[in-house]
Amino acid sequence: MNQKHTPVLLCLPFATLVALGALAHPQQKKPSLAPPKQAPKQALAGTEFARDVVPLVKKYCVSCHTAPKGTGGVSLSAEKTFEAALKNRAIWDRVGPAVLENRMPPAEMPQPTAAEREKLGHTLESLFSQVDCQLNDPGRVTMRRLNRAEYNNTIRDLLGVTLRPADEFPNDDVGYGFDNIGDVLSISPLLMEKYLSAAEKVAEEAIVPPGAGSRPLRITARQLAGLGGGGGGSQEGFELGRTGDTAMASFDFPVAGVYTVLIQAYEQHADPKPTKMGVSLDGKQLQSFDVAATVQNPQTATLTLTIDQPGRHKIGATFLNNNDRDAEDLPFRRKGQDRNLYIGFIELQPPAGFKRGLSLTLPKDDTDAAWDAAAHSVLDPLAKRAFRRPPTLQEKTKLVALTHLAREKKIKTEFPEGVQLAIRAILSSPSFLFRPEPDAKPNDPTARRLLNDYELATRLSYFLWSSTPDEELLRLADQGKLKNTATLIAQAKRMMRDPKAAALAENFAGQWLQLRKLAVVQPDDKSFGEPLRQAMTQEALRFFTGVVQEDRSVLEFLDADYTYVNAPLAKHYGISGITGDAFQRVTLNKDAEQRGGILSMAAVLTLTSNPSRTSPVKRGKWVLDNLLGTPPPPPPPNVPELEAQKGATQAETLRKRLEIHRTNPACANCHAQMDPIGLALENYDLIGRWRLNDGGKPIDTAGVLPDGSKFSGPSELKRILLKKKTQFTHTLTDRLLTYALGRGIERSDKCNLDTMTKSVENSQYKFSAIVEAVVTSVPFRERRGDESGKKPAP
């Protein structure tokens, strides 16, 4: 593109762009909702607190938790009234659950009776709940920019291109367990440069000249990725020198349909046998070809693929028969003749009739009116979808004016270039890069308002699809129908059935279950390789997707009689009768005692192990964090690691070493919660294989939780967790609401969460019930101004 035509808008500092975006999207004054109701009468609350809480706290707690330096940094001796306790709410919120769950007081201290525990815990819960429910605060979400996944998906759905420019962006920061939290999604100068560069590349890719058909995507030898030890790409080709070496190309398949794949290849000849090349899709071999061509005259293998599920898929070209494994080839190897395979490129041709990008209609003549009409016809609808709202007249006029920067006399050449300039401006605009929800009174925490229909469409779309709203959502927003609860629920259910809902598994489940960490773990086990790593991840993601799209009970995350495996994973699990790399759903039957639910999946068991051994502590903490929502506090300073504990190295078993570790009073309370859970999973080794012995010693999986629950082994642990189904459902709803809102859950959200959890229970724990509860909740549909001077949570 001619650089002299670069739009002025793209050269402005980012702060100026933000200001322009605010001007272009003027705030619409919304009527404030009724102010929050009054808090409970202080006299009544104070009476209950003084009668049912203070005496028990004095009797069982203040001996350790006394100002100024209470045990664990918790002091309870100063607050004698409910009003004082409210000011120290962060501490008192921890008291009730700790007492009700028998985590406090410590075992060596005097213990309250069951009735005293109920009175103390439930009184605190009730008093604080009254405050939260009467406030019914919708909260406030910091204006969010698109994260990397959202940017790539939005570009794909907006312009039909398969570029993934955000893969080159800096990694997104994580807050509250997710990378879509507004408080941490900042913009650095480097990221702004990446945005401008990406906008130019995408704009050039997006424009389809008049009369052009579908355009193939070609990944050259230099761009191919190696799997299994390929020698890398060069101008001559990607060298595959060993049996099993693979040249891999990743493509985004924008629509379902029949695609054509072309692979250019040649061989380094060594003997009379032909070189064989296998072609695979997502690891499953589809077809093999004989390659008998030279570098001077390479051959092109062609095959067709039927894609039912749009999205990202991998096409691989694999060397099948290097002569290092065939005894008949020994004479040739002795002569130094080695057979190799070289890949020149892998090309993907879209289905017939599919046009990637935007099709342009040229101006009818060289008049300004014809030019402007043609520009408006393509840019107005594009800006609406990019900004996720109707563009203002000022915005539309500016975008069309930018196209004139490329205008000379040759309309057929310059009109597409002018549209590219406007697209670059759109993709560099704050209205595209951010998801603004402007308030009339942004600094007034009492100024509540309902979101408008376009803001609801945006929240809903990025929640379930990690992408921009589609035409149906925007049409309903135009009609003002998304505020209708029934319409909002119907759209959420439609979107969960759409293939784009796979983003919920990738981006929500991948972070909730911490599956993304599996990509970097390196267990010290020779049987662990890339195919098994990929299979572990796919099992968990497919299981989650199945629960979503089949609208199954979320309790199946805790225990189920089925899972998804391919041949490598089935072998890993000891499940017979499974062949090939394709995944299939299997009923576990007799294997149900060993497998079933996410807790027994190899992905979770591997990422919660140490490189050389299992870790009951990590596994127990993972369950508390992600399934029960009761994360233990960080370990106290100066406490030695398990292996460094005095006497631990001489202990015969890992259980004995943990018992020695718990003799430290600073460690005992938290480990009493984590260790029994982790030890119940010791039948799984560091990469999730089933075992009965460890180091020649029988494994003891018995345990007791602080609340007195006894169990032995994973199957009994799962039954215990199912008894805590309300706690699990509350935790999952909490996580899903956090992800949907893009902010952390606060104390004021508790009442809404309790109501949402109850509605899920009343709907047989269906996944759709959680989504329905989220999208119809007050925090999802409303927002308020911020408190002056309030800093975002870390």
Side-chain angles (χ1 to χ4, degrees):
M1 179 177 290
N2 191 339
Q3 294 301 309
K4 69 179 181 180
H5 295 315
T6 300
V8 176
L9 179 62
L10 298 183
C11 301
L12 293 174
F14 184 67
T16 306
L17 288 175
V18 174
L20 287 174
L23 290 174
H25 189 190
Q27 297 172 350
Q28 299 178 4
K29 187 174 182 179
K30 297 288 183 179
S32 296
L33 302 182
K37 298 179 181 178
Q38 295 295 318
K41 293 182 179 180
Q42 293 299 317
L44 180 59
T47 299
E48 289 188 57
F49 187 81
R51 182 189 66 213
D52 297 335
V53 175
V54 172
L56 292 175
V57 169
K58 182 178 180 181
K59 182 177 180 181
Y60 294 109
C61 306
V62 296
S63 59
C64 294
H65 300 291
T66 301
K69 294 183 179 180
T71 302
V74 175
S75 175
L76 304 174
S77 60
E79 287 81 39
K80 306 295 185 184
T81 67
F82 181 59
E83 184 178 9
L86 278 175
K87 295 179 181 179
N88 196 21
R89 176 78 182 270
I91 294 296
W92 283 93
D93 271 339
R94 296 161 56 185
V95 175
V99 172
L100 286 172
E101 295 167 14
N102 284 36
R103 292 186 276 117
M104 284 289 166
E108 67 274 10
M109 301 298 290
Q111 299 293 307
T113 64
E116 287 175 324
R117 286 187 184 277
E118 292 284 323
K119 180 186 289 186
L120 176 57
H122 289 309
T123 299
L124 284 172
E125 183 180 279
S126 174
L127 291 176
F128 289 134
S129 180
Q130 289 179 57
V131 173
D132 295 335
C133 291
Q134 291 177 0
L135 180 62
N136 197 20
D137 179 14
R140 176 181 176 83
V141 179
T142 301
M143 185 171 69
R144 297 161 55 187
R145 68 164 171 82
L146 303 183
N147 66 17
R148 298 202 311 169
E150 292 168 342
Y151 187 99
N152 278 337
N153 292 345
T154 301
I155 290 293
R156 176 199 67 200
D157 295 337
L158 181 67
L159 295 167
V161 301
T162 56
L163 296 177
R164 295 178 59 87
D167 290 353
E168 299 180 5
F169 295 174
N171 288 332
D172 297 309
D173 290 328
V174 174
Y176 303 99
F178 297 103
D179 63 3
N180 67 343
I181 303 299
D183 286 344
V184 301
L185 287 174
S186 58
I187 287 190
S188 64
L190 173 61
L191 180 56
M192 196 62 231
E193 290 179 11
K194 294 287 187 181
Y195 279 149
L196 298 177
S197 175
E200 182 174 1
K201 292 177 182 177
V202 171
E204 291 177 351
E205 178 72 14
I207 297 303
V208 178
S214 61
R215 292 178 293 164
L217 287 176
R218 175 176 293 186
I219 296 182
T220 65
R222 293 182 183 276
Q223 299 168 314
L224 292 169
L227 182 64
S234 65
Q235 191 171 6
E236 289 74 30
F238 193 95
E239 180 182 2
L240 304 176
R242 298 179 302 178
T243 300
D245 283 359
T246 301
M248 191 71 71
S250 294
F251 294 98
D252 276 321
F253 290 73
V255 295
V258 179
Y259 291 76
T260 301
V261 176
L262 286 75
I263 302 178
Q264 186 190 72
Y266 71 91
E267 67 163 347
Q268 176 179 304
H269 196 66
D271 56 66
K273 294 181 181 179
T275 297
K276 290 190 175 294
M277 175 183 69
V279 180
S280 62
L281 176 67
D282 295 331
K284 179 182 179 181
Q285 184 166 320
L286 304 175
Q287 195 171 338
S288 64
F289 296 86
D290 289 347
V291 177
T294 64
V295 63
Q296 292 82 12
N297 188 26
Q299 70 184 66
T300 301
T302 303
L303 72 158
T304 57
L305 298 177
T306 300
I307 298 296
D308 298 321
Q309 197 84 340
R312 197 156 184 83
H313 297 281
K314 294 182 178 180
I315 298 174
T318 303
F319 188 16
L320 298 180
N321 66 331
N322 187 32
N323 59 359
D324 59 352
R325 298 187 181 181
D326 193 336
E328 295 181 12
D329 293 330
L330 183 58
F332 299 96
R333 295 201 306 274
R334 285 175 175 169
K335 296 178 182 179
Q337 297 177 351
D338 182 31
R339 183 190 301 133
N340 293 309
L341 175 65
Y342 293 85
I343 306 300
F345 62 77
I346 299 179
E347 182 176 294
L348 180 69
Q349 295 183 350
F354 173 77
K355 290 187 177 182
R356 180 178 288 104
L358 298 174
S359 297
L360 298 183
T361 300
L362 294 178
K364 294 180 179 179
D365 52 51
D366 61 355
T367 63
D368 288 347
W371 180 286
D372 290 353
H376 276 295
S377 69
V378 63
L379 294 176
D380 289 0
L382 178 64
K384 180 179 180 179
R385 289 204 65 196
F387 297 161
R388 302 167 283 272
R389 57 167 175 80
T392 64
L393 177 61
Q394 184 183 32
E395 286 172 329
K396 291 189 286 188
T397 301
K398 284 183 176 180
L399 289 173
V400 171
L402 287 172
T403 67
H404 284 271
L405 294 177
R407 188 180 180 191
E408 294 176 359
K409 293 183 179 179
K410 296 180 180 179
I411 294 177
K412 291 183 179 180
T413 302
E414 303 303 339
F415 184 73
E417 183 177 344
V419 174
Q420 288 176 356
L421 292 176
I423 291 176
R424 289 172 62 185
I426 289 173
L427 300 184
S428 302
S429 167
S431 293
F432 171 76
L433 298 173
F434 286 87
R435 294 167 46 189
E437 295 172 350
D439 295 317
K441 298 179 180 179
N443 296 320
D444 183 358
T446 66
R448 300 171 55 174
R449 73 171 179 89
L450 293 168
L451 297 182
N452 65 43
D453 287 80
Y454 297 105
E455 292 166 339
L456 277 175
T458 299
R459 283 199 178 189
L460 189 62
S461 184
Y462 281 96
F463 169 33
L464 296 175
W465 288 347
S466 297
S467 187
T468 193
D470 64 0
E471 294 292 347
E472 182 168 345
L473 282 175
L474 290 178
R475 176 177 55 78
L476 291 170
D478 289 340
Q479 298 168 356
K481 292 182 177 180
L482 276 181
K483 290 193 189 76
N484 179 276
T485 300
T487 302
L488 195 62
I489 293 172
Q491 285 300 302
K493 291 183 176 180
R494 171 185 74 88
M495 295 169 70
M496 283 190 289
R497 295 190 296 268
D498 192 281
K500 287 191 287 187
L504 193 62
E506 181 70 27
N507 300 318
F508 170 72
Q511 295 181 88
W512 167 47
L513 302 177
Q514 301 177 9
L515 299 175
R516 292 182 177 181
K517 295 181 179 179
L518 192 65
V520 297
V521 300
Q522 294 293 338
D524 186 14
D525 191 296
K526 293 181 179 179
S527 65
F528 186 84
E530 193 61 30
L532 186 57
R533 186 200 306 270
Q534 293 294 331
M536 289 177 176
T537 304
Q538 282 300 310
E539 176 194 21
L541 294 179
R542 287 170 184 265
F543 188 92
F544 182 89
T545 301
V547 171
V548 172
Q549 297 196 330
E550 297 174 24
D551 197 15
R552 303 181 69 88
S553 168
V554 298
L555 299 183
E556 292 185 0
F557 290 133
L558 298 179
D559 195 14
D561 62 356
Y562 68 93
T563 191
Y564 298 82
V565 296
N566 62 358
L569 190 60
K571 180 181 179 181
H572 188 68
Y573 285 167
I575 298 175
S576 59
I578 306 298
T579 59
D581 294 322
F583 272 81
Q584 54 186 291
R585 177 170 166 164
V586 295
T587 301
L588 293 171
N589 296 328
K590 66 179 182 179
D591 304 305
E593 289 297 307
Q594 298 180 13
R595 305 292 167 184
I598 57 179
L599 197 55
S600 57
M601 290 183 180
V604 171
L605 295 163
T606 301
L607 65 86
T608 54
S609 294
N610 289 329
S612 60
R613 64 165 176 82
T614 59
S615 175
V617 175
K618 286 184 179 180
R619 288 177 175 177
K621 183 179 184 299
W622 189 94
V623 172
L624 294 176
D625 279 351
N626 299 290
L627 303 187
L628 299 180
T630 55
N638 303 320
V639 173
E641 294 290 335
L642 179 61
E643 282 77 4
Q645 196 87 21
K646 184 178 180 180
T649 54
Q650 286 77 40
E652 294 182 348
T653 64
L654 184 55
R655 175 181 283 270
K656 291 292 185 183
R657 294 200 292 274
L658 286 169
E659 290 175 358
I660 293 171
H661 191 68
R662 289 199 300 273
T663 59
N664 187 329
C667 306
N669 184 55
C670 291
H671 279 272
Q673 304 170 58
M674 298 184 291
D675 294 359
I677 296 174
L679 288 168
L681 301 173
E682 274 295 280
N683 283 127
Y684 304 107
D685 70 6
L686 77 163
I687 56 174
R689 285 174 301 212
W690 183 261
R691 62 181 182 174
L692 297 175
N693 300 282
D694 181 18
K697 304 278 185 186
I699 294 173
D700 181 2
T701 59
V704 182
L705 293 178
D707 64 3
S709 301
K710 297 181 179 180
F711 52 89
S712 179
S715 59
E716 292 186 11
L717 173 62
K718 286 187 286 188
R719 284 194 281 271
I720 294 295
L721 293 177
L722 284 170
K723 292 180 181 179
K724 299 177 181 290
K725 56 188 176 183
T726 297
Q727 188 176 351
F728 166 71
T729 304
H730 191 280
T731 300
L732 178 55
T733 306
D734 176 297
R735 299 293 189 271
L736 208 59
L737 183 62
T738 299
Y739 177 80
L741 295 178
R743 68 164 173 83
I745 300 304
E746 301 172 352
R747 290 190 298 267
S748 55
D749 295 310
K750 183 179 183 300
C751 188
N752 281 313
L753 272 172
D754 290 344
T755 302
M756 294 160 69
T757 302
K758 187 66 177 177
S759 71
V760 175
E761 293 176 342
N762 292 338
S763 300
Q764 289 75 51
Y765 300 93
K766 297 292 186 182
F767 190 89
S768 64
I770 297 188
V771 172
E772 179 179 330
V774 167
V775 302
T776 59
S777 68
V778 169
F780 191 86
R781 302 176 75 173
E782 300 179 25
R783 61 178 284 121
R784 61 159 170 80
D786 200 4
E787 297 176 56
S788 298
K790 182 178 179 181
K791 296 180 180 179

